[in-house]
Amino acid sequence: MTDIVADAGSDTLLQRCAGGDRAAFRMLYDRHAPRLYAVALRITRQAGPASDAVQEAFIQVWRNAHQFDTVRGNAEAWMTGLVRYRALDLLRRAGPPMQSLDDAPEAPALAPLDTSPDGRALRQCLERLEPDRRKLVVLAFVEGFSHTELATRLATPLGTVKSSIRRALASLRECLGA
Amino acid sequence: MSDDLPTDRAGLYVLGVLDAAEMQEVRRDAVRDSALSAAIEAWERRLTPLTALAGETTPPSELWDAVTASLDGALPGAAAPQPRRQPGGRDARRGPGARAVAAWRATALGAMAVAAGLAGFLVWRIQATVQPAAPRLTPRFAMILPLQQTPGGWLVEVQPDGRIRAVAQGNVSHAADRDFELWALADHATRPVPLGLLPIGAGSADLHPGNLPTRNFKLLVSLEPKGGSPTGLPTGPVMFGGDVIRPPG
């Protein structure tokens, strides 16, 4: 897949949105909504809040497209952030879902990262982490688990979770650079 | 923990491990701290490939309609007869918008039926203890309840002179950069009128809108940018609603 080309396309579509081009907005939606909806659904675990998160994010995309910096920014990362933060807000507001504590989550396999160059680089850096730390990072980002929720679900002391994540972030930053 | 690493707030924020209060703190600080906001962007670029692990799921077909309906400021009633005709194909969007509105109405009506039941109970209790001075000066009431899976709501009292007192119930909350805005939608009207911003937590507020419809109306609450909708019409999702009822007598 030509991810770099596709992403340059999204930047261009965003610029057209800033000029009021609804057709470009629709193309942007068609291209990104299935991925963003899956991201929101994974975090909120419910269709209603997931739809809300994606809806609000796209409204912000349309309104704030003119603020998007095509030189510095990355359209996919920007839109992903809009959806994830909104989904996390909704999740945190609703409180943790009722699930039994023996439901110890497994981190998903990293193979899907290989579909893009950035993903492959991230996978390599993740695989350099200790398995426990890698699992914390992946579960936090994909499932939206907070420090506290990770500690509870993985039956690990909160202090250990926090320090493992802190070290994992430092390693990733060093491995991936800016 | 004998941990000499500095706390990477941007990394923790983007990773998503912070609780609600910590997330709001980071957002607030990032507005003033350009280094922090740049660090957040850098972490977003680093970690976004992880979204591939969630796969892809086709969103509900109404979602696109809901997005465009929000952009047009369209709300329940926007699909009413006599759509505004404009050159340039604006009307082309009314079809799907109307479907979204119909779906919204179905949800809203269900919730409002519940709201009306609760409000009826409430008014019955008020009637039992308060004797109105004169029938014509009876205040009206509404319970504003969630139309979506959101906790909380408001108890609203509409005075005969148009003043509105709203008391938050059930610890209703929103993100720091948002406000809940109250709207009145008159029967058969296509556009709601803004009444003011609602309190959250356990707060109450007195609103003096001065533009209450003279006809019967519903109350709606949308999530808006801080300070309320910049357009005079709802721009965010409509999240709460309720019927205004007048106690008998």
PDB file of all heavy atoms in Angstrom, chain A residues 74-108:
ATOM      1  N   ASN A  74       0.533  16.183  10.416  1.00  0.00           N
ATOM      2  CA  ASN A  74       0.285  14.897   9.790  1.00  0.00           C
ATOM      3  C   ASN A  74      -1.218  14.679   9.939  1.00  0.00           C
ATOM      4  O   ASN A  74      -1.725  14.566  11.056  1.00  0.00           O
ATOM      5  CB  ASN A  74       1.116  13.847  10.544  1.00  0.00           C
ATOM      6  CG  ASN A  74       0.764  12.426  10.162  1.00  0.00           C
ATOM      7  OD1 ASN A  74      -0.402  12.073  10.010  1.00  0.00           O
ATOM      8  ND2 ASN A  74       1.776  11.605  10.023  1.00  0.00           N
ATOM      9  N   ALA A  75      -1.916  14.700   8.800  1.00  0.00           N
ATOM     10  CA  ALA A  75      -3.386  14.704   8.834  1.00  0.00           C
ATOM     11  C   ALA A  75      -3.925  13.510   9.617  1.00  0.00           C
ATOM     12  O   ALA A  75      -4.833  13.652  10.440  1.00  0.00           O
ATOM     13  CB  ALA A  75      -3.934  14.685   7.408  1.00  0.00           C
ATOM     14  N   GLU A  76      -3.329  12.360   9.386  1.00  0.00           N
ATOM     15  CA  GLU A  76      -3.829  11.156  10.031  1.00  0.00           C
ATOM     16  C   GLU A  76      -3.648  11.244  11.555  1.00  0.00           C
ATOM     17  O   GLU A  76      -4.556  10.907  12.317  1.00  0.00           O
ATOM     18  CB  GLU A  76      -3.088   9.941   9.471  1.00  0.00           C
ATOM     19  CG  GLU A  76      -3.659   8.641   9.960  1.00  0.00           C
ATOM     20  CD  GLU A  76      -2.973   7.434   9.330  1.00  0.00           C
ATOM     21  OE1 GLU A  76      -2.432   7.583   8.219  1.00  0.00           O
ATOM     22  OE2 GLU A  76      -2.984   6.377   9.949  1.00  0.00           O
ATOM     23  N   ALA A  77      -2.464  11.712  11.977  1.00  0.00           N
ATOM     24  CA  ALA A  77      -2.197  11.814  13.416  1.00  0.00           C
ATOM     25  C   ALA A  77      -3.121  12.844  14.055  1.00  0.00           C
ATOM     26  O   ALA A  77      -3.633  12.642  15.162  1.00  0.00           O
ATOM     27  CB  ALA A  77      -0.737  12.197  13.652  1.00  0.00           C
ATOM     28  N   TRP A  78      -3.361  13.932  13.336  1.00  0.00           N
ATOM     29  CA  TRP A  78      -4.214  14.980  13.876  1.00  0.00           C
ATOM     30  C   TRP A  78      -5.647  14.469  14.068  1.00  0.00           C
ATOM     31  O   TRP A  78      -6.238  14.606  15.143  1.00  0.00           O
ATOM     32  CB  TRP A  78      -4.201  16.191  12.934  1.00  0.00           C
ATOM     33  CG  TRP A  78      -5.035  17.338  13.399  1.00  0.00           C
ATOM     34  CD1 TRP A  78      -4.952  17.973  14.611  1.00  0.00           C
ATOM     35  CD2 TRP A  78      -6.086  17.978  12.672  1.00  0.00           C
ATOM     36  NE1 TRP A  78      -5.893  18.981  14.672  1.00  0.00           N
ATOM     37  CE2 TRP A  78      -6.590  19.012  13.502  1.00  0.00           C
ATOM     38  CE3 TRP A  78      -6.639  17.790  11.404  1.00  0.00           C
ATOM     39  CZ2 TRP A  78      -7.627  19.848  13.094  1.00  0.00           C
ATOM     40  CZ3 TRP A  78      -7.666  18.639  11.003  1.00  0.00           C
ATOM     41  CH2 TRP A  78      -8.155  19.646  11.838  1.00  0.00           C
ATOM     42  N   MET A  79      -6.176  13.846  13.036  1.00  0.00           N
ATOM     43  CA  MET A  79      -7.561  13.350  13.127  1.00  0.00           C
ATOM     44  C   MET A  79      -7.679  12.229  14.162  1.00  0.00           C
ATOM     45  O   MET A  79      -8.665  12.142  14.891  1.00  0.00           O
ATOM     46  CB  MET A  79      -8.039  12.869  11.754  1.00  0.00           C
ATOM     47  CG  MET A  79      -8.226  14.026  10.785  1.00  0.00           C
ATOM     48  SD  MET A  79      -9.113  13.522   9.296  1.00  0.00           S
ATOM     49  CE  MET A  79      -7.912  12.498   8.551  1.00  0.00           C
ATOM     50  N   THR A  80      -6.657  11.386  14.212  1.00  0.00           N
ATOM     51  CA  THR A  80      -6.671  10.302  15.195  1.00  0.00           C
ATOM     52  C   THR A  80      -6.731  10.872  16.616  1.00  0.00           C
ATOM     53  O   THR A  80      -7.478  10.392  17.470  1.00  0.00           O
ATOM     54  CB  THR A  80      -5.412   9.422  15.046  1.00  0.00           C
ATOM     55  OG1 THR A  80      -5.403   8.878  13.733  1.00  0.00           O
ATOM     56  CG2 THR A  80      -5.410   8.288  16.058  1.00  0.00           C
ATOM     57  N   GLY A  81      -5.928  11.922  16.845  1.00  0.00           N
ATOM     58  CA  GLY A  81      -5.932  12.558  18.159  1.00  0.00           C
ATOM     59  C   GLY A  81      -7.314  13.076  18.505  1.00  0.00           C
ATOM     60  O   GLY A  81      -7.826  12.831  19.607  1.00  0.00           O
ATOM     61  N   LEU A  82      -7.958  13.768  17.557  1.00  0.00           N
ATOM     62  CA  LEU A  82      -9.292  14.327  17.816  1.00  0.00           C
ATOM     63  C   LEU A  82     -10.255  13.227  18.266  1.00  0.00           C
ATOM     64  O   LEU A  82     -11.020  13.393  19.218  1.00  0.00           O
ATOM     65  CB  LEU A  82      -9.850  15.007  16.557  1.00  0.00           C
ATOM     66  CG  LEU A  82      -9.150  16.298  16.097  1.00  0.00           C
ATOM     67  CD1 LEU A  82      -9.761  16.796  14.795  1.00  0.00           C
ATOM     68  CD2 LEU A  82      -9.234  17.375  17.165  1.00  0.00           C
ATOM     69  N   VAL A  83     -10.211  12.102  17.564  1.00  0.00           N
ATOM     70  CA  VAL A  83     -11.136  11.009  17.898  1.00  0.00           C
ATOM     71  C   VAL A  83     -10.764  10.353  19.227  1.00  0.00           C
ATOM     72  O   VAL A  83     -11.617  10.118  20.083  1.00  0.00           O
ATOM     73  CB  VAL A  83     -11.145   9.942  16.775  1.00  0.00           C
ATOM     74  CG1 VAL A  83     -11.903   8.699  17.210  1.00  0.00           C
ATOM     75  CG2 VAL A  83     -11.768  10.519  15.509  1.00  0.00           C
ATOM     76  N   ARG A  84      -9.486  10.077  19.409  1.00  0.00           N
ATOM     77  CA  ARG A  84      -9.085   9.345  20.615  1.00  0.00           C
ATOM     78  C   ARG A  84      -9.336  10.148  21.888  1.00  0.00           C
ATOM     79  O   ARG A  84      -9.836   9.624  22.874  1.00  0.00           O
ATOM     80  CB  ARG A  84      -7.605   8.965  20.550  1.00  0.00           C
ATOM     81  CG  ARG A  84      -7.323   7.794  19.632  1.00  0.00           C
ATOM     82  CD  ARG A  84      -5.872   7.354  19.701  1.00  0.00           C
ATOM     83  NE  ARG A  84      -5.538   6.713  20.962  1.00  0.00           N
ATOM     84  CZ  ARG A  84      -4.731   7.225  21.892  1.00  0.00           C
ATOM     85  NH1 ARG A  84      -4.163   8.389  21.708  1.00  0.00           N
ATOM     86  NH2 ARG A  84      -4.491   6.563  22.995  1.00  0.00           N
ATOM     87  N   TYR A  85      -8.995  11.441  21.880  1.00  0.00           N
ATOM     88  CA  TYR A  85      -9.171  12.224  23.108  1.00  0.00           C
ATOM     89  C   TYR A  85     -10.654  12.336  23.451  1.00  0.00           C
ATOM     90  O   TYR A  85     -11.046  12.285  24.612  1.00  0.00           O
ATOM     91  CB  TYR A  85      -8.528  13.607  22.985  1.00  0.00           C
ATOM     92  CG  TYR A  85      -7.061  13.538  22.634  1.00  0.00           C
ATOM     93  CD1 TYR A  85      -6.504  14.356  21.666  1.00  0.00           C
ATOM     94  CD2 TYR A  85      -6.238  12.592  23.247  1.00  0.00           C
ATOM     95  CE1 TYR A  85      -5.168  14.259  21.328  1.00  0.00           C
ATOM     96  CE2 TYR A  85      -4.900  12.481  22.915  1.00  0.00           C
ATOM     97  CZ  TYR A  85      -4.369  13.328  21.947  1.00  0.00           C
ATOM     98  OH  TYR A  85      -3.055  13.217  21.612  1.00  0.00           O
ATOM     99  N   ARG A  86     -11.475  12.485  22.416  1.00  0.00           N
ATOM    100  CA  ARG A  86     -12.918  12.567  22.672  1.00  0.00           C
ATOM    101  C   ARG A  86     -13.438  11.227  23.215  1.00  0.00           C
ATOM    102  O   ARG A  86     -14.222  11.188  24.157  1.00  0.00           O
ATOM    103  CB  ARG A  86     -13.638  12.944  21.373  1.00  0.00           C
ATOM    104  CG  ARG A  86     -15.087  13.218  21.547  1.00  0.00           C
ATOM    105  CD  ARG A  86     -15.299  14.507  22.346  1.00  0.00           C
ATOM    106  NE  ARG A  86     -16.662  14.576  22.834  1.00  0.00           N
ATOM    107  CZ  ARG A  86     -16.996  14.777  24.101  1.00  0.00           C
ATOM    108  NH1 ARG A  86     -16.081  14.945  25.026  1.00  0.00           N
ATOM    109  NH2 ARG A  86     -18.246  14.822  24.458  1.00  0.00           N
ATOM    110  N   ALA A  87     -12.979  10.139  22.607  1.00  0.00           N
ATOM    111  CA  ALA A  87     -13.409   8.816  23.063  1.00  0.00           C
ATOM    112  C   ALA A  87     -12.942   8.576  24.501  1.00  0.00           C
ATOM    113  O   ALA A  87     -13.685   8.033  25.324  1.00  0.00           O
ATOM    114  CB  ALA A  87     -12.860   7.739  22.131  1.00  0.00           C
ATOM    115  N   LEU A  88     -11.722   9.001  24.806  1.00  0.00           N
ATOM    116  CA  LEU A  88     -11.208   8.828  26.171  1.00  0.00           C
ATOM    117  C   LEU A  88     -12.024   9.656  27.158  1.00  0.00           C
ATOM    118  O   LEU A  88     -12.335   9.199  28.259  1.00  0.00           O
ATOM    119  CB  LEU A  88      -9.723   9.214  26.238  1.00  0.00           C
ATOM    120  CG  LEU A  88      -8.754   8.220  25.581  1.00  0.00           C
ATOM    121  CD1 LEU A  88      -7.360   8.828  25.437  1.00  0.00           C
ATOM    122  CD2 LEU A  88      -8.675   6.922  26.386  1.00  0.00           C
ATOM    123  N   ASP A  89     -12.378  10.890  26.759  1.00  0.00           N
ATOM    124  CA  ASP A  89     -13.237  11.723  27.625  1.00  0.00           C
ATOM    125  C   ASP A  89     -14.532  10.995  27.934  1.00  0.00           C
ATOM    126  O   ASP A  89     -14.977  10.957  29.080  1.00  0.00           O
ATOM    127  CB  ASP A  89     -13.598  13.047  26.923  1.00  0.00           C
ATOM    128  CG  ASP A  89     -12.440  14.042  26.935  1.00  0.00           C
ATOM    129  OD1 ASP A  89     -11.501  13.843  27.728  1.00  0.00           O
ATOM    130  OD2 ASP A  89     -12.479  15.002  26.148  1.00  0.00           O
ATOM    131  N   LEU A  90     -15.147  10.448  26.894  1.00  0.00           N
ATOM    132  CA  LEU A  90     -16.435   9.767  27.082  1.00  0.00           C
ATOM    133  C   LEU A  90     -16.259   8.538  27.963  1.00  0.00           C
ATOM    134  O   LEU A  90     -17.083   8.248  28.826  1.00  0.00           O
ATOM    135  CB  LEU A  90     -17.027   9.373  25.722  1.00  0.00           C
ATOM    136  CG  LEU A  90     -17.470  10.539  24.848  1.00  0.00           C
ATOM    137  CD1 LEU A  90     -17.813  10.065  23.436  1.00  0.00           C
ATOM    138  CD2 LEU A  90     -18.678  11.247  25.453  1.00  0.00           C
ATOM    139  N   LEU A  91     -15.176   7.812  27.747  1.00  0.00           N
ATOM    140  CA  LEU A  91     -14.917   6.603  28.535  1.00  0.00           C
ATOM    141  C   LEU A  91     -14.684   6.952  30.002  1.00  0.00           C
ATOM    142  O   LEU A  91     -15.271   6.339  30.897  1.00  0.00           O
ATOM    143  CB  LEU A  91     -13.683   5.893  27.980  1.00  0.00           C
ATOM    144  CG  LEU A  91     -13.224   4.645  28.737  1.00  0.00           C
ATOM    145  CD1 LEU A  91     -14.218   3.515  28.530  1.00  0.00           C
ATOM    146  CD2 LEU A  91     -11.834   4.215  28.286  1.00  0.00           C
ATOM    147  N   ARG A  92     -13.838   7.965  30.251  1.00  0.00           N
ATOM    148  CA  ARG A  92     -13.509   8.336  31.626  1.00  0.00           C
ATOM    149  C   ARG A  92     -14.757   8.867  32.325  1.00  0.00           C
ATOM    150  O   ARG A  92     -14.938   8.668  33.521  1.00  0.00           O
ATOM    151  CB  ARG A  92     -12.417   9.397  31.658  1.00  0.00           C
ATOM    152  CG  ARG A  92     -11.114   8.988  31.025  1.00  0.00           C
ATOM    153  CD  ARG A  92     -10.280   8.090  31.931  1.00  0.00           C
ATOM    154  NE  ARG A  92      -8.936   7.946  31.390  1.00  0.00           N
ATOM    155  CZ  ARG A  92      -8.555   6.945  30.602  1.00  0.00           C
ATOM    156  NH1 ARG A  92      -9.420   6.007  30.264  1.00  0.00           N
ATOM    157  NH2 ARG A  92      -7.329   6.890  30.133  1.00  0.00           N
ATOM    158  N   ARG A  93     -15.593   9.579  31.596  1.00  0.00           N
ATOM    159  CA  ARG A  93     -16.787  10.158  32.195  1.00  0.00           C
ATOM    160  C   ARG A  93     -17.762   9.044  32.598  1.00  0.00           C
ATOM    161  O   ARG A  93     -18.418   9.120  33.612  1.00  0.00           O
ATOM    162  CB  ARG A  93     -17.461  11.097  31.193  1.00  0.00           C
ATOM    163  CG  ARG A  93     -18.597  11.868  31.797  1.00  0.00           C
ATOM    164  CD  ARG A  93     -19.315  12.640  30.731  1.00  0.00           C
ATOM    165  NE  ARG A  93     -18.450  13.611  30.079  1.00  0.00           N
ATOM    166  CZ  ARG A  93     -18.797  14.237  28.970  1.00  0.00           C
ATOM    167  NH1 ARG A  93     -19.941  13.990  28.396  1.00  0.00           N
ATOM    168  NH2 ARG A  93     -17.991  15.118  28.428  1.00  0.00           N
ATOM    169  N   ALA A  94     -17.843   8.022  31.744  1.00  0.00           N
ATOM    170  CA  ALA A  94     -18.794   6.948  32.016  1.00  0.00           C
ATOM    171  C   ALA A  94     -18.292   6.024  33.116  1.00  0.00           C
ATOM    172  O   ALA A  94     -19.055   5.234  33.653  1.00  0.00           O
ATOM    173  CB  ALA A  94     -19.044   6.155  30.735  1.00  0.00           C
ATOM    174  N   GLY A  95     -17.009   6.132  33.475  1.00  0.00           N
ATOM    175  CA  GLY A  95     -16.444   5.215  34.459  1.00  0.00           C
ATOM    176  C   GLY A  95     -16.032   3.929  33.775  1.00  0.00           C
ATOM    177  O   GLY A  95     -16.471   3.654  32.660  1.00  0.00           O
ATOM    178  N   PRO A  96     -15.195   3.143  34.438  1.00  0.00           N
ATOM    179  CA  PRO A  96     -14.726   1.915  33.801  1.00  0.00           C
ATOM    180  C   PRO A  96     -15.871   0.948  33.578  1.00  0.00           C
ATOM    181  O   PRO A  96     -16.801   0.904  34.371  1.00  0.00           O
ATOM    182  CB  PRO A  96     -13.722   1.339  34.810  1.00  0.00           C
ATOM    183  CG  PRO A  96     -14.028   2.009  36.096  1.00  0.00           C
ATOM    184  CD  PRO A  96     -14.669   3.322  35.775  1.00  0.00           C
ATOM    185  N   PRO A  97     -15.822   0.208  32.481  1.00  0.00           N
ATOM    186  CA  PRO A  97     -16.909  -0.732  32.191  1.00  0.00           C
ATOM    187  C   PRO A  97     -16.912  -1.854  33.221  1.00  0.00           C
ATOM    188  O   PRO A  97     -15.881  -2.186  33.797  1.00  0.00           O
ATOM    189  CB  PRO A  97     -16.551  -1.268  30.815  1.00  0.00           C
ATOM    190  CG  PRO A  97     -15.078  -1.068  30.699  1.00  0.00           C
ATOM    191  CD  PRO A  97     -14.743   0.126  31.510  1.00  0.00           C
ATOM    192  N   MET A  98     -18.068  -2.401  33.429  1.00  0.00           N
ATOM    193  CA  MET A  98     -18.189  -3.498  34.378  1.00  0.00           C
ATOM    194  C   MET A  98     -17.665  -4.771  33.740  1.00  0.00           C
ATOM    195  O   MET A  98     -18.291  -5.339  32.862  1.00  0.00           O
ATOM    196  CB  MET A  98     -19.660  -3.700  34.757  1.00  0.00           C
ATOM    197  CG  MET A  98     -20.222  -2.557  35.562  1.00  0.00           C
ATOM    198  SD  MET A  98     -19.284  -2.361  37.086  1.00  0.00           S
ATOM    199  CE  MET A  98     -19.356  -0.599  37.311  1.00  0.00           C
ATOM    200  N   GLN A  99     -16.511  -5.174  34.130  1.00  0.00           N
ATOM    201  CA  GLN A  99     -15.961  -6.435  33.618  1.00  0.00           C
ATOM    202  C   GLN A  99     -15.272  -7.125  34.773  1.00  0.00           C
ATOM    203  O   GLN A  99     -14.701  -6.489  35.646  1.00  0.00           O
ATOM    204  CB  GLN A  99     -14.954  -6.176  32.497  1.00  0.00           C
ATOM    205  CG  GLN A  99     -15.621  -5.926  31.155  1.00  0.00           C
ATOM    206  CD  GLN A  99     -14.605  -5.843  30.045  1.00  0.00           C
ATOM    207  OE1 GLN A  99     -13.456  -6.202  30.214  1.00  0.00           O
ATOM    208  NE2 GLN A  99     -15.038  -5.360  28.899  1.00  0.00           N
ATOM    209  N   SER A 100     -15.344  -8.418  34.764  1.00  0.00           N
ATOM    210  CA  SER A 100     -14.755  -9.156  35.867  1.00  0.00           C
ATOM    211  C   SER A 100     -13.241  -8.989  35.846  1.00  0.00           C
ATOM    212  O   SER A 100     -12.630  -8.802  34.799  1.00  0.00           O
ATOM    213  CB  SER A 100     -15.131 -10.628  35.774  1.00  0.00           C
ATOM    214  OG  SER A 100     -14.635 -11.144  34.561  1.00  0.00           O
ATOM    215  N   LEU A 101     -12.647  -9.045  37.012  1.00  0.00           N
ATOM    216  CA  LEU A 101     -11.222  -8.783  37.105  1.00  0.00           C
ATOM    217  C   LEU A 101     -10.385  -9.945  36.575  1.00  0.00           C
ATOM    218  O   LEU A 101      -9.196  -9.790  36.348  1.00  0.00           O
ATOM    219  CB  LEU A 101     -10.846  -8.479  38.557  1.00  0.00           C
ATOM    220  CG  LEU A 101     -11.458  -7.176  39.073  1.00  0.00           C
ATOM    221  CD1 LEU A 101     -10.996  -6.907  40.488  1.00  0.00           C
ATOM    222  CD2 LEU A 101     -11.089  -6.011  38.180  1.00  0.00           C
ATOM    223  N   ASP A 102     -11.003 -11.096  36.400  1.00  0.00           N
ATOM    224  CA  ASP A 102     -10.214 -12.195  35.845  1.00  0.00           C
ATOM    225  C   ASP A 102     -10.111 -12.070  34.320  1.00  0.00           C
ATOM    226  O   ASP A 102      -9.497 -12.884  33.654  1.00  0.00           O
ATOM    227  CB  ASP A 102     -10.791 -13.562  36.238  1.00  0.00           C
ATOM    228  CG  ASP A 102     -12.226 -13.732  35.778  1.00  0.00           C
ATOM    229  OD1 ASP A 102     -12.706 -12.850  35.030  1.00  0.00           O
ATOM    230  OD2 ASP A 102     -12.859 -14.716  36.149  1.00  0.00           O
ATOM    231  N   ASP A 103     -10.686 -10.996  33.806  1.00  0.00           N
ATOM    232  CA  ASP A 103     -10.637 -10.738  32.376  1.00  0.00           C
ATOM    233  C   ASP A 103      -9.303 -10.043  32.065  1.00  0.00           C
ATOM    234  O   ASP A 103      -9.267  -8.878  31.725  1.00  0.00           O
ATOM    235  CB  ASP A 103     -11.829  -9.856  32.007  1.00  0.00           C
ATOM    236  CG  ASP A 103     -11.867  -9.522  30.543  1.00  0.00           C
ATOM    237  OD1 ASP A 103     -11.268 -10.234  29.740  1.00  0.00           O
ATOM    238  OD2 ASP A 103     -12.510  -8.504  30.214  1.00  0.00           O
ATOM    239  N   ALA A 104      -8.200 -10.749  32.240  1.00  0.00           N
ATOM    240  CA  ALA A 104      -6.882 -10.166  31.999  1.00  0.00           C
ATOM    241  C   ALA A 104      -6.660 -10.019  30.504  1.00  0.00           C
ATOM    242  O   ALA A 104      -6.671 -10.998  29.775  1.00  0.00           O
ATOM    243  CB  ALA A 104      -5.801 -11.050  32.605  1.00  0.00           C
ATOM    244  N   PRO A 105      -6.516  -8.784  30.031  1.00  0.00           N
ATOM    245  CA  PRO A 105      -6.465  -8.558  28.587  1.00  0.00           C
ATOM    246  C   PRO A 105      -5.122  -8.952  27.982  1.00  0.00           C
ATOM    247  O   PRO A 105      -4.075  -8.831  28.613  1.00  0.00           O
ATOM    248  CB  PRO A 105      -6.688  -7.062  28.475  1.00  0.00           C
ATOM    249  CG  PRO A 105      -6.219  -6.501  29.769  1.00  0.00           C
ATOM    250  CD  PRO A 105      -6.382  -7.563  30.810  1.00  0.00           C
ATOM    251  N   GLU A 106      -5.174  -9.433  26.768  1.00  0.00           N
ATOM    252  CA  GLU A 106      -3.975  -9.723  25.995  1.00  0.00           C
ATOM    253  C   GLU A 106      -3.753  -8.581  25.008  1.00  0.00           C
ATOM    254  O   GLU A 106      -4.712  -8.071  24.427  1.00  0.00           O
ATOM    255  CB  GLU A 106      -4.162 -11.029  25.224  1.00  0.00           C
ATOM    256  CG  GLU A 106      -3.979 -12.280  26.078  1.00  0.00           C
ATOM    257  CD  GLU A 106      -2.621 -12.314  26.774  1.00  0.00           C
ATOM    258  OE1 GLU A 106      -1.604 -12.074  26.089  1.00  0.00           O
ATOM    259  OE2 GLU A 106      -2.572 -12.551  27.992  1.00  0.00           O
ATOM    260  N   ALA A 107      -2.497  -8.200  24.829  1.00  0.00           N
ATOM    261  CA  ALA A 107      -2.210  -7.169  23.834  1.00  0.00           C
ATOM    262  C   ALA A 107      -2.327  -7.778  22.442  1.00  0.00           C
ATOM    263  O   ALA A 107      -1.936  -8.922  22.230  1.00  0.00           O
ATOM    264  CB  ALA A 107      -0.809  -6.619  24.055  1.00  0.00           C
ATOM    265  N   PRO A 108      -2.905  -7.025  21.490  1.00  0.00           N
ATOM    266  CA  PRO A 108      -3.012  -7.561  20.134  1.00  0.00           C
ATOM    267  C   PRO A 108      -1.628  -7.722  19.492  1.00  0.00           C
ATOM    268  O   PRO A 108      -0.680  -7.048  19.877  1.00  0.00           O
ATOM    269  CB  PRO A 108      -3.848  -6.505  19.402  1.00  0.00           C
ATOM    270  CG  PRO A 108      -3.781  -5.276  20.236  1.00  0.00           C
ATOM    271  CD  PRO A 108      -3.485  -5.691  21.633  1.00  0.00           C
TER     272      PRO A 108
END
